[in-house]
Amino acid sequence: MKSIKTKPAPPGYRWVFCRYRRKRNSDELLDAHDYGYEAWAFLVRA
């Protein structure tokens, strides 16, 4: 599986990692493992 190595988050933000995410405008869930990744990464305000 591909590791998620991200650059440092900008000031005031942080990275959030999760295995599942909801598909946009749908109730379908996407599993990162199905796409060869360990997790999805999202940049959010701290």
Side-chain angles (χ1 to χ4, degrees):
M1 248 183 262
K2 297 176 196 169
S3 154
I4 300 212
K5 296 194 176 178
T6 57
K7 56 186 174 182
Y13 290 85
R14 66 184 173 94
W15 288 106
V16 173
F17 300 95
C18 59
R19 179 173 170 181
Y20 299 97
R21 72 174 179 92
R22 189 177 59 82
K23 194 172 181 181
R24 195 169 171 146
N25 296 326
S26 172
D27 290 333
E28 184 181 349
L29 289 178
L30 299 177
D31 184 356
H33 290 188
D34 291 343
Y35 293 88
Y37 291 99
E38 293 177 4
W40 302 110
F42 298 97
L43 193 60
V44 298
R45 287 187 180 216

